[in-house]
Every structure is written in structure tokens, then in C-alpha cells.
Amino acid sequence: METVLELTKENIQQIVDVSMKQLVVLSFWSQQSPESVALCQTLTSMAQKQSGRFVLAKVDCDKEMEIANYFQIQNVPTTLVLSEGKPIDGFAGSQDEGQISAMLDKHLPAQWELQLNQAKNHLALHEFEPALVLLKQAFAESPNAEVALVYADAQLMAGDLVTATQLLDSVGLADQDSYYQSLKAKLALALDAADTPEIRQLQQAFDSEPSNIAVLMELVKALHQAKRNEEALGLLFTPLSKDITIENGDAKKLFLEILTALGQGNALANQYRRKLYSLLY
């Protein structure tokens, strides 16, 4: 369903059907009323900026007198809020964006709830990347347990076990439901899988010879393969912070390759990118 559309006799039933699941704002306007044209433009801008929170149905009263009469519209501009096929709020005359937002907020879900629901739809299709973008925004706005659990689920799909652990640790006892328990079990299995015999062997070799950068680099590669990137970058940054050209520059090259693999939007990569730049400049 489009965010903004023209309401006509042909699609009015469709709009009523939409209002059974989502809030619909009806904007009654006329070319004869500049005030109503301006208000309609304000509502259009709001609907586009808040994409998904409500549907704006514009009613041109010069063309759709029957619809205006059905809703007993006396003057334009008039704005009605439609839910489950019935008007539940509205106002006559003009209002500014702040006043309109205050009215709509009484009836609309919070932005984080919309983002959470959109993220759940992505996760159902195993699309964790767009889900992570939405969940990061939702968690920043409202870091509650409901968001934290879904966010942790997405991070497990992405293989970010460190962030998944932090998110699950933030969930209080009262919210540790069956979903939480299933995520904890997934995390435990993922951690076990990430602790490979190769990593243990390389870790032992490095522990016995901590100045051997070649062994360290092999350990870092193995940790990166197991998606244990925070450990990998932390280990490699220690010798780089002392000598950026160590191992003929190969250590710096490996470090940059891991950052590139993590991507521009990755918080861990951005953190270590800044650390590296502080050494270079």
C-alpha cells in the first residue's frame, strides 16, 4: 500500500480495509481553499517522512462530493483519523506539524515498534542485514528487552557473537522467557563452533612464543574465519601500535583486510579504523 494516495469512490473500500490494520488519515481539501492545499501538503510531507506509520488518503472535495457528504464534511480543510473503518479523531481548520504530530502520536505505534516489526519480517526471510539496520535504530530509541532479544537473534545470524552476548546479558531476569533461552542455547552452540581445534592449537603456539608475529597472524586469520573479529583485531593491534611496519607491512595489510571485510557500517571496524588512523597520522 502506498503511503500517500488520492481517495476516490473506486478505492474507498480498499482504504477502509487498510484502516482495519493501519491508521489512515483523511485530508479533505479543495483548490478553492489555499489553506486546505497548504495543510494537505504538510500532511503529505509528514506521511512521506514517517513512512509506514500511517497512510494519507487525500480527498479532493471538488471531485468527490459524495465522499465529503458521507463523512459530513462542512468546511475545508478538515482532517479525520480513521481506524477500523471509523473516524476516531480529527480537526477542522489548519494546524501546524507539531500539533498534528501530537494528535497522531496518541493513536500511532512508536517508531521503534514499527522498526522492530519490519526487522522481524526481514528475519523471517533470513535477511539479517536490513534487519540489523532497523534494530540498531530501534534499540537506540528504546533499549528494551523486546528489541534486545530480536537484535541478538539478528546478530547471531550475522555471526557477531560478542554483540549477541552483550545484548543477551542486558536482558533482565523478568524478561528471560523461552525466546531468550533459545537464543542462549544458539549462542552456546555458536561459541563452541567458533572454538575450533585449529584456533586452540594456534593459541597455544602463540602463548608459548608471543613474539612470533607469523604465528600471531595465522591465529588472527583463524579467529576472523570463526567470526571472532573483536579478539582478532585486538590481538593484531597490539604489535601494530608499537611498529606499524612490522612483518614487512603484512600485519597492517591483514588488519586492513579484516576491516574491509567487516564493512563501512560495522561499529567494531569503525572503532579499530579510528585507532589505526591515530597511529598513521
Side-chain angles (χ1 to χ4, degrees):
M1 169 59 81
E2 295 175 49
T3 303
V4 180
L5 45 79
E6 304 287 339
L7 182 60
T8 65
K9 291 187 289 294
E10 286 71 33
N11 67 4
I12 189 167
Q13 186 56 51
Q14 182 187 3
I15 298 301
V16 171
D17 292 344
V18 168
S19 77
M20 304 308 286
K21 296 180 180 178
Q22 190 175 6
L23 215 65
V24 174
V25 175
L26 302 179
S27 176
F28 294 89
W29 68 284
S30 165
Q31 289 286 1
Q32 315 306 315
S33 166
E35 184 186 22
S36 73
V37 173
L39 178 61
C40 202
Q41 288 171 344
T42 298
L43 287 164
T44 299
S45 173
M46 290 176 68
Q48 290 168 342
K49 281 191 289 188
Q50 302 185 40
S51 180
R53 287 192 86 199
F54 66 90
V55 171
L56 175 64
K58 301 187 291 185
V59 186
D60 182 347
C61 295
D62 299 328
K63 297 178 181 176
E64 302 294 342
M65 280 298 297
E66 284 182 49
I67 296 176
N69 290 335
Y70 175 79
F71 284 101
Q72 300 179 342
I73 302 303
Q74 304 298 319
N75 298 293
V76 291
T78 294
T79 305
L80 295 179
V81 178
L82 204 66
S83 177
E84 297 184 355
K86 299 185 292 290
I88 58 168
D89 209 339
F91 58 90
S94 193
Q95 290 192 2
D96 63 31
E97 188 167 333
Q99 292 171 307
I100 299 167
S101 290
M103 179 198 69
L104 292 177
D105 284 345
K106 293 186 291 183
H107 309 289
L108 288 168
Q111 190 66 33
W112 69 263
E113 291 180 279
L114 285 172
Q115 290 164 336
L116 178 61
N117 288 331
Q118 289 170 355
K120 285 179 179 177
N121 291 336
H122 282 300
L123 290 181
L125 299 170
H126 301 284
E127 298 167 350
F128 65 82
E129 288 180 355
L132 283 171
V133 174
L134 290 163
L135 289 164
K136 182 179 180 181
Q137 295 167 347
F139 195 70
E141 183 184 332
S142 181
N144 61 63
E146 188 180 1
V147 179
L149 289 172
V150 181
Y151 198 5
D153 201 352
Q155 294 290 8
L156 284 169
M157 284 189 186
D160 188 343
L161 306 186
V162 174
T163 305
T165 301
Q166 291 168 348
L167 287 164
L168 290 175
D169 286 347
S170 75
V171 175
L173 194 61
D175 296 301
Q176 293 180 10
D177 55 11
S178 57
Y179 185 29
Y180 168 87
Q181 298 300 338
S182 73
L183 292 176
K184 286 288 283 186
K186 277 186 194 177
L187 176 62
L189 288 170
L191 288 169
D192 283 345
D195 190 22
T196 64
E198 179 195 8
I199 289 174
R200 288 197 294 271
Q201 188 176 355
L202 286 165
Q203 185 70 61
Q204 287 169 359
F206 177 64
D207 289 344
S208 63
E209 201 179 349
S211 61
N212 191 327
I213 303 303
V215 171
L216 171 63
M217 287 173 62
E218 289 304 313
L219 173 58
V220 166
K221 288 176 188 175
L223 287 169
H224 172 56
Q225 284 289 325
K227 297 187 177 179
R228 291 165 60 178
N229 291 298
E230 188 162 14
E231 293 172 75
L233 290 168
L235 276 171
L236 194 53
F237 186 75
T238 300
L240 282 173
S241 64
K242 296 170 186 169
D243 180 3
I244 197 73
T245 64
I246 198 165
E247 205 70 11
N248 297 318
D250 287 343
K252 185 182 85 170
K253 183 183 174 189
L254 174 59
F255 193 86
L256 288 168
E257 284 172 352
I258 294 173
L259 295 183
T260 302
L262 290 175
Q264 287 290 335
N266 184 278
L268 181 67
N270 290 339
Q271 176 193 335
Y272 274 99
R273 203 173 275 115
R274 286 193 295 270
K275 286 187 174 187
L276 184 64
Y277 289 161
S278 70
L279 297 178
L280 292 171
Y281 307 108

